[in-house]
Amino acid sequence: MNETSAPKLRVATYNVHGCVGMDRQRSEARIAEVIAQLSVDIVALQELDLSRRRSAGVNQTEIIAEQLGWHSHFHPAMRWGDEHYGQAILSRYRLTFRRAARLPGTAPFFCRENRAAIGMDVETNLGTVHIINTHLGLGWRERLLQAQLFTTAEWHAVIAGNTPLILLGDFNSLPGSRPYRALSRHLRDVRRLVRAARPIRTFPTWCPVLAVDHIFVNAALQPLSLTVHRSTIARIASDHFPLVAELGPA
């Protein structure tokens, strides 16, 4: 099979900032438009609201998925009665829930947020792929504990298996940091395996100087490319740019 006909999978991670853009306007439709521009098969989204007063009580995941015509699954990291806040996986392919976990660690005083991870099985053109979407905290101690969770026996069994695995999200961690190194001992950062044409920095959109969004894969996948989607609308829609990877079988 030649390279052009080999099966490929395009995935992205995108912190959507509650669908509130740099113009301070909330627009789920605008986020869906950015995702449509990516030409991806699966996208992991962070910072989504469900039934929150600040977002007019809407289900942001459902609105975005319906505009795209995709499957979706939302998982709350925080709950206040009927109000939920968390992350989601959206896919052209059908999703099967695998696991969800609250991440360990004590949040710092300046950002009292619980953190979570959600794992889904996706039947793709590469076969079954396991996708884990996460959003680590802002305190370095909690981030280290949270990164180490993915190296425990429960999660490592999936990482070390033959099933393709993708761990992606907003890690709030720079390459070379202790949380990043903890993950890199067990998974491969796509950023290190491809030759990027430009710096792979995603935050903030008004001046992207930080690489805090990452895509890791296990040995069953071969990274082909990694790009930051910096369209005009993406520059306004959120404070993060989407990070997009194209993957093939190893």
Side-chain angles (χ1 to χ4, degrees), residues 12 72 81 108 110 112 128 132 161-162 168 180-181 187 194 199 205-207 225 235 237:
S72 66
F110 54 85
R112 293 294 189 186
T128 302
I132 303 173
N162 295 323
L168 72 176
Y180 175 92
R181 295 200 307 271
L187 287 164
V194 301
T205 52
W206 62 271
C207 181
S225 68
R235 192 174 298 276

Side-chain angles (χ1 to χ4, degrees), residues 35-54:
I35 296 170
Q37 293 177 347
L38 306 179
S39 298
V40 295
D41 304 295
I42 304 165
V43 61
L45 303 181
Q46 302 87 41
E47 297 193 11
L48 287 161
D49 287 348
L50 169 62
S51 300
R52 295 192 67 182
R53 287 187 293 274
R54 72 174 188 177

Side-chain angles (χ1 to χ4, degrees), residues 13-14 202 205 208 213 228-231 234-235 239-243:
T13 180
Y14 189 17
T202 52
T205 52
D213 302 285
V228 178
H229 182 75
R230 294 180 178 173
S231 67
R235 192 174 298 276
D239 60 348
H240 285 243
F241 283 118
L243 182 66

Side-chain angles (χ1 to χ4, degrees), residues 1-169:
M1 182 178 293
N2 61 47
E3 185 175 343
T4 57
S5 60
K8 298 175 183 177
L9 184 70
R10 283 176 61 85
V11 302
T13 180
Y14 189 17
N15 184 323
V16 299
H17 196 236
C19 301
V20 177
M22 302 305 289
D23 57 359
R24 300 185 181 181
Q25 300 300 308
R26 195 193 90 245
S27 175
E28 293 79 20
R30 187 165 56 184
I31 293 295
E33 185 176 346
V34 172
I35 296 170
Q37 293 177 347
L38 306 179
S39 298
V40 295
D41 304 295
I42 304 165
V43 61
L45 303 181
Q46 302 87 41
E47 297 193 11
L48 287 161
D49 287 348
L50 169 62
S51 300
R52 295 192 67 182
R53 287 187 293 274
R54 72 174 188 177
S55 300
V58 303
N59 183 335
Q60 293 187 320
T61 302
E62 185 176 85
I63 291 173
I64 296 167
E66 286 182 351
Q67 184 167 329
L68 294 168
W70 287 12
H71 304 280
S72 66
H73 188 97
F74 170 83
H75 179 73
M78 301 182 71
R79 297 179 175 90
W80 306 269
D82 293 333
E83 297 190 35
H84 294 174
Y85 171 76
Q87 57 235 43
I89 296 174
L90 281 67
S91 171
R92 298 181 188 272
Y93 304 103
R94 193 171 300 277
L95 297 164
T96 301
F97 177 79
R98 180 72 175 267
R99 71 184 68 199
R102 179 173 174 174
L103 301 186
T106 302
F109 71 91
F110 54 85
C111 185
R112 293 294 189 186
E113 287 189 17
N114 297 332
R115 305 290 175 164
I118 178 173
M120 309 290 292
D121 282 338
V122 190
E123 294 301 324
T124 76
N125 57 350
L126 299 184
T128 302
V129 175
H130 189 53
I131 306 286
I132 303 173
N133 176 17
T134 195
H135 186 189
L136 304 192
L138 292 182
W140 73 266
R141 289 184 179 86
E142 65 167 335
R143 283 202 307 275
L144 182 57
L145 286 174
Q146 291 161 0
Q148 289 171 339
L149 173 71
F150 297 106
T151 69
T152 60
E154 177 187 4
W155 293 85
H156 189 260
V158 180
I159 291 172
N162 295 323
T163 300
L165 175 130
I166 306 167
L167 170 65
L168 72 176

Side-chain angles (χ1 to χ4, degrees), residues 189-208:
D189 179 10
V190 173
R191 182 181 278 100
R192 290 190 170 185
L193 299 174
V194 301
R195 294 183 177 179
R198 58 190 301 182
I200 308 298
R201 300 167 185 158
T202 52
F203 177 82
T205 52
W206 62 271
C207 181

